Amino acid sequence: MSREVVAIIDFGSQYGQLIARRVREHKVYSQLYPPTVKVEKLAQIGVKGIILSGGPASVNAPGAPTCDPRLFELGVPVLGICYGMQIGCKILGADVAPAQSREYGRTDIAITDGSDLLAGLSEHSTVWMSHGDQVNRLTGDFVSLAATKTCPIAAVRHTSGKFFGVQFHPEVTHTPRGTEILKNFLYDICGCSGDWQMSDFVEETIANVRKQVGDATVICGLSGGVDSAVTAALLHKAIGDQLVCIFVDHGLLRKNERQGVESMFHGHFHIDLRVVDWSKQFLDKLAGVTEPQQKRKIIGAEFIEAFKSEAKKIPKAEFLAQGTLYPDVIESGSKDGNLAATIKLHHNVGGLPEQLGFELVEPLRELFKDEVRLVGEYLGLPEDMVWRHPFPGPGLAVRVLGEVNESKLAVLREADDILIEEIRVAGLYRHINQALAVLLPVGTVGVMGDERSYESVIAIRCVETTDFMTADFSDIPHEVLGRIASRIINEVRGVNRVVYDISSKPPATIEWE
């Protein structure tokens, strides 16, 4: 199936992935490439347009990343954003120099030509700037489209009509009309039809999976998270009974989590699901261990043993399915001018492909997280599973600070269950991106039933984020926090105090360990 593709040349921008997502939101498929990508490759793909991203370097610095000048000879429109504008203008003959006054943050912009890229915008708009260099002087081959008080050339058009540049960032929400600028570029300038649909992706992926695996058996490790759940549902739609799922119960799960996975995948989807109860082995190995990274290493190694114990019982198993997403592929770096397709070494698959001699199947490797959720909805997964908050691979082991044992896990399971139930009842679950309870390794004095108590502390952490690289704590109404605290203290034996974590990321992380 052919599809329209817009290539994004990534010069190291913190917003590179965001540009790709914004393009896809306009139903145009996008893909990131390093600056070293061959022009012949882009021509072979038949890209409809090219976007040059921002980047942290100065275009005039020694060794600054650049792109093949032949990009501008492909005959397709090119949009340069920030550094991308500067590198495009420099290649095409304009002068780029350090700005006398650097611009960071929201800036008012005056539009002097709103005929194409900036069509539909008001004469004065707000944009998000972040630059030290700027285009200082244009040749007669350029037309200036906009300016700010300190940046006289804030947007340009080359007279060829094939290169456009903006010094600001239209992809961020801080540029309110930025989505319209991208839409103008994609639809009016590149001529994209905007017909990329999740249904098309699903059908294309099903065909590719069937071709890859033939009549062999595919093993998929289920974790209960959205990535593995959508991977399993998509593969089952593609190959039916050739799929076998393995769910390892490591004893570190949330309340009723194992039952929920069994009910959904075995009961509803009728998938061949093998459940391996390895909880005793995990807890035995974790006894006395308090260091977080050591916990993760133990869990990862033990998971491989549990998975292998079941996998070797499955005949004709030649493939291992993983829920690798597009950000994992991007973050793997580049090799020979192309994105390196490396394995997502999540703790619970670790070295399994090599140890078992499996070939990988990664049906979601072209998608972002929000797109995975759309596929899940399309495949009929329940809303609770599609929009489930992230849950760490090591489970509750990294939310019980210090040594892990069954009694501590029991306390945390009940507290966690109350937290999730109350934010659902309050209608906050979809507004919060991740919610968790943490059992702290301290005791505090309290009074319960007119008697002095010395019991445990539960910390509540709820965050809002778009990319999980940065996050702010959720502003939960005090009455909701009050209900959560009251229920945990009254219903969970062994807890007499609840605190709310109001740290942002950075400097704090989302998880405590």
Side-chain angles (χ1 to χ4, degrees):
M1 179 185 298
S2 62
R3 58 186 175 191
E4 298 173 334
V5 178
V6 167
I8 298 164
I9 310 300
D10 186 6
F11 291 100
S13 171
Q14 61 179 319
Y15 302 128
Q17 292 186 33
L18 184 56
I19 297 171
R21 291 179 61 186
R22 292 288 182 257
V23 172
R24 293 187 185 188
E25 286 171 4
H26 288 293
K27 301 188 183 304
V28 177
Y29 183 73
S30 63
Q31 195 159 347
L32 274 84
Y33 296 92
T36 52
V37 64
K38 303 296 184 184
V39 170
E40 291 78 8
K41 180 180 179 69
L42 300 180
Q44 183 181 16
I45 294 169
V47 295
K48 294 282 289 185
I50 298 170
I51 297 178
L52 309 179
S53 83
S58 165
V59 296
N60 294 318
T66 187
C67 58
D68 192 328
R70 293 180 298 155
L71 283 179
F72 302 95
E73 300 171 7
L74 276 175
V76 300
V78 179
L79 171 63
I81 295 175
C82 197
Y83 183 94
M85 169 179 164
Q86 296 165 14
I87 199 72
C89 287
K90 182 178 180 180
I91 289 173
L92 294 172
D95 179 59
V96 180
Q100 289 186 351
S101 178
R102 298 182 178 189
E103 289 181 303
Y104 295 98
R106 289 183 177 87
T107 305
D108 291 328
I109 192 169
I111 296 173
T112 55
D113 185 335
S115 59
D116 36 45
L117 183 66
L118 305 181
L121 275 67
S122 57
E123 185 176 337
H124 293 277
S125 296
T126 299
V127 298
W128 182 263
M129 288 282 198
S130 179
H131 69 98
D133 291 347
Q134 63 187 32
V135 177
N136 188 47
R137 179 178 51 82
L138 294 173
T139 67
D141 294 327
F142 287 94
V143 175
S144 177
L145 307 180
T148 71
K149 288 182 178 179
T150 59
C151 182
I153 307 170
V156 298
R157 179 203 313 115
H158 193 266
T159 52
S160 67
K162 293 299 183 181
F163 176 71
F164 296 82
V166 290
Q167 185 57 66
F168 53 89
H169 289 274
E171 71 274 21
V172 302
T173 55
H174 304 305
T175 300
R177 307 289 293 274
T179 185
E180 296 173 52
I181 296 171
L182 291 175
K183 184 177 180 180
N184 289 339
F185 178 71
L186 296 170
Y187 290 175
D188 299 335
I189 296 172
C190 296
C192 294
S193 58
D195 59 359
W196 188 60
Q197 304 285 345
M198 276 300 126
S199 57
D200 296 333
F201 167 82
V202 170
E203 295 307 316
E204 181 180 353
T205 301
I206 286 172
N208 291 339
V209 167
R210 288 172 177 166
K211 181 179 179 181
Q212 180 184 5
V213 307
D215 61 356
T217 296
V218 179
I219 296 176
C220 178
L222 271 180
S223 69
V226 62
D227 299 342
S228 68
V230 173
T231 297
L234 184 55
L235 288 173
H236 189 249
K237 188 174 179 65
I239 58 175
D241 293 342
Q242 291 172 241
L243 174 68
V244 178
C245 291
I246 297 177
F247 180 79
V248 176
D249 183 352
H250 49 28
L252 308 167
L253 303 171
R254 284 176 161 177
K255 187 176 181 180
N256 300 325
E257 188 163 12
R258 172 173 166 177
Q259 296 92 318
V261 170
E262 289 182 295
S263 174
M264 174 54 55
F265 289 96
H266 184 67
H268 180 73
F269 283 101
H270 306 294
I271 290 175
D272 184 353
L273 175 64
R274 317 285 178 90
V275 177
V276 183
D277 190 340
W278 211 262
S279 53
K280 183 179 186 305
Q281 290 92 324
F282 276 94
L283 290 176
D284 285 348
K285 289 290 179 67
L286 288 169
V289 177
T290 60
E291 205 277 319
Q293 283 304 101
Q294 186 64 18
K295 288 183 188 178
R296 291 177 180 272
K297 290 178 181 178
I298 290 171
I299 293 167
E302 205 59 34
F303 190 100
I304 289 177
E305 292 305 311
F307 198 97
K308 285 168 61 178
S309 74
E310 190 63 34
K312 66 184 181 182
K313 303 174 186 176
I314 301 171
K316 292 184 65 177
E318 299 177 16
F319 295 87
L320 176 68
Q322 292 190 168
T324 307
L325 305 189
Y326 194 40
D328 304 314
V329 178
I330 295 168
E331 289 163 8
S332 68
S334 61
K335 181 180 180 181
D336 298 330
N338 295 303
L339 286 175
T342 59
I343 298 168
K344 180 185 181 184
L345 293 177
H346 188 264
H347 92 279
N348 61 1
V349 289
L352 281 170
E354 296 86 353
Q355 292 193 27
L356 297 178
F358 287 153
E359 183 180 336
L360 283 174
V361 179
E362 300 171 303
L364 307 181
R365 61 179 289 110
E366 294 184 351
L367 301 184
F368 290 102
K369 189 80 168 188
D370 52 340
E371 295 169 329
V372 172
R373 297 189 195 279
L374 293 177
V375 171
E377 290 180 335
Y378 177 79
L379 294 172
L381 287 170
E383 182 179 346
D384 284 356
M385 181 161 284
V386 171
W387 292 97
R388 184 179 188 263
H389 289 177
F391 187 61
L396 298 179
V398 291
R399 294 180 181 175
V400 172
L401 305 195
E403 183 180 3
V404 179
N405 58 46
E406 188 51 59
S407 62
K408 292 181 179 179
L409 289 167
V411 169
L412 184 56
R413 279 193 192 96
E414 295 301 323
D416 175 85
D417 190 57
I418 290 170
L419 167 65
I420 299 302
E421 180 181 332
E422 286 297 331
I423 64 174
R424 285 189 187 279
V425 169
L428 297 173
Y429 189 82
R430 289 280 292 272
H431 297 285
I432 296 169
N433 299 105
Q434 189 166 352
L436 57 133
V438 181
L439 180 63
L440 305 186
V442 296
T444 66
V445 175
V447 177
M448 302 182 76
D450 294 327
E451 294 183 2
R452 183 180 183 275
S453 66
Y454 190 74
E455 295 182 324
S456 299
V457 180
I458 289 288
I460 301 299
R461 178 98 161 119
C462 298
V463 300
E464 296 175 14
T465 178
T466 56
D467 55 12
F468 290 91
M469 300 300 292
T470 62
D472 292 319
F473 68 88
S474 299
D475 188 11
I476 298 177
H478 288 181
E479 59 269 23
V480 177
L481 287 174
R483 283 198 302 271
I484 294 169
S486 178
R487 284 195 59 194
I488 290 175
I489 291 170
N490 288 314
E491 298 176 29
V492 182
R493 187 175 295 276
V495 177
N496 69 356
R497 192 179 300 269
V498 174
V499 298
Y500 187 55
D501 182 349
I502 59 170
S503 309
S504 295
K505 177 186 179 181
T509 55
I510 295 176
E511 296 286 347
W512 279 45
E513 285 193 345

